Amino acid sequence: MAGFAELGLSSWLVEQCRQLGLKQPTPVQLGCIPAILEGRDCLGCAKTGSGKTAAFVLPILQKLSEDPYGIFCLVLTPTRELAYQIAEQFRVLGKPLGLKDCIIVGGMDMVAQALELSRKPHVVIATPGRLADHLRSSSTFHIKKIRFLVMDEADRLLEQGCTDFTVDLEAILAAVPARRQTLLFSATLTDTLKELQGLATNQPFFWEAQAAVRTVEQLDQRYLLVPEKVKDAYLVHLIQSLQDEHEDWSVIIFTNTCKTCQILCMMLRKFNFPAVALHSMMKQKERFAALAKFKSSIYRILIATDVASRGLDIPTVQVVINHNTPGLPKIYIHRVGRTARAGRQGQAITLVTQYDIHLVHAIEEQIKKQLEELAVEEARVLQILTQVNVVRRECEIKLEAAHFDEKKEINKRKQLILEGKDPDLEAKRKAELAKIKQKNRRFKEKVERTLQQQKASRAGHRARPPRAHTAPAPTQGPA
Ligand SMILES: Nc1ncnc2c1ncn2[C@@H]1O[C@H](COP(=O)(O)OP(=O)(O)OP(=O)(O)O)[C@@H](O)[C@H]1O
């Protein structure tokens, strides 16, 4: 197998890789690095934890060393934490160059950022919103001469999720030169391939890992069918078992809202578990501190929203628990990809209620693998059920007293005003949109259910899960 030197990388970069313990290039690095060095645009799609970051960092550093100037490269990424992680890779691998990098993300001091930008760093790593703000408000820097534009988690940057980057991306794309090399990477590029191809037009090179299954082989993927009301008791039981059975353990729990994230964190702490939360309602400094403490194993449990589902590389994570079943298969792929990285083993456990079974089917169809049921000692869950529910309720009351919902609302309104929008008008528009979306979703679910029922009755058996499940009914314990 070719080493880093055979890919056309200079000896100093090969030495940097060696020092970092990167002995052999991974397949995505083997595939993409030569094409990038040739000057081609690149779309790289490879599984989570497969080394996509170094696949673009290494060739960019090589080109930078041949013709250094600032601002040479702009990297866009959807989350602030990821921006810091990518900057770290540039810094470590580019140390012999005396690389100057600059991180431009929301939640940090804008004046200090503007100053840094005016000093012409070689590489700018940014989230789109804050960079677009700088472009609109500052004349002390420009990005019209950049040589490389990288979009990491490119599909997320283009899709219109809860954070919509479209307007900011337009502003950024209008400010970068047409003559540039564009590098687009993600573990899930295919949905947005058409739009992405529109961005990468310079002899584009598309690299996709050939694999039967879209998640990594070393990942043990389980599901646990539980009634909604006993979910938290199962969660506490799972964490307790992890703590009892493993000395060195570390887990990320994904939730669907900031509020659930906060409540679960409070709840697990009441049970004396070393838990820390990460969500967008936290101040940026708190977010960084939480992540740092989790990375250094001061806390063994990170409870996070999808703000942590993409890109974060924390090798110690052994288990990912989905407290809610992700509504989209690609969110599942990224969430579970926080474990079993770079050839390590890992486990993903998804808590599934009876209303989410169709989501599990959609996930299985996409990843091309069936999740297996996790065996749990249900008697032990029953023992803690009442206590868990009481503690959860206490935490909810405490959070309500802290006006969590109102704070969230105020934050949202502030953000809208900053964006020059009318919060009331936006709320009305959003409500209408949500109504339409809900109607469409219900219709889609109904069609899917009918199709599944028809399929099942044709096959002569009930729809999955076929195995008898003995999860306690909600009435078995005080809710
Ligand atoms: N050639 C290599 N050999 C061994 N380890 C590597 C190699 N290249 C990268 N790694 C390591 O693999 C881990 C995962 O890499 P990286 O974060 O780039 O994954 P990714 O493909 O971007 O994942 P995701 O899709 O989750 O963002 C990192 O810890 C990185 O240092």
Side-chain angles (χ1 to χ4, degrees), residues 313-363:
D313 182 52
I314 309 167
T316 48
V317 177
Q318 291 145 354
V319 181
V320 165
I321 299 178
N322 286 315
H323 184 259
N324 71 302
T325 313
L328 288 174
K330 77 166 151 184
I331 296 181
Y332 175 87
I333 291 173
H334 287 282
R335 279 185 179 187
V336 301
R338 293 319 98 214
T339 184
R341 296 175 70 74
R344 292 181 191 84
Q345 300 290 325
Q347 188 179 44
I349 304 168
T350 301
L351 302 184
V352 183
T353 70
Q354 64 270 39
Y355 308 110
D356 305 323
I357 293 170
H358 66 290
L359 298 176
V360 176
H361 286 296
I363 290 167

Side-chain angles (χ1 to χ4, degrees), residues 21-94:
L22 316 184
K23 292 182 194 122
Q24 288 291 327
T26 63
V28 65
Q29 293 161 359
L30 274 174
C32 297
I33 291 175
I36 300 172
L37 289 174
E38 272 170 31
R40 297 174 67 177
D41 283 357
C42 180
L43 294 97
C45 184
K47 289 181 188 181
T48 51
S50 61
K52 293 186 286 296
T53 319
F56 63 80
V57 170
L58 289 168
I60 291 173
L61 287 174
Q62 170 132 338
K63 292 288 176 189
L64 177 68
S65 70
E66 290 163 6
D67 177 21
Y69 67 87
I71 300 172
F72 185 83
C73 167
L74 169 63
V75 183
L76 296 176
T77 171
T79 68
R80 300 165 183 182
E81 286 75 13
L82 198 45
Y84 277 78
Q85 189 180 292
I86 295 169
E88 177 81 19
Q89 286 248 5
F90 268 106
R91 235 169 265 164
V92 178
L93 286 166

Side-chain angles (χ1 to χ4, degrees), residues 184-213:
L184 310 169
F185 282 88
S186 177
T188 51
L189 279 182
T190 22
D191 288 1
T192 41
L193 203 55
K194 271 223 170 82
E195 292 100 305
L196 293 169
Q197 276 166 340
L199 289 173
T201 52
N202 166 27
Q203 294 177 278
F205 171 77
F206 181 63
W207 194 88
E208 187 171 19
Q210 294 304 316
V213 177

Side-chain angles (χ1 to χ4, degrees), residues 114-129:
L115 213 66
E116 269 196 76
L117 281 170
S118 67
R119 291 189 192 125
K120 298 201 171 178
H122 299 119
V123 182
V124 173
I125 303 112
T127 47

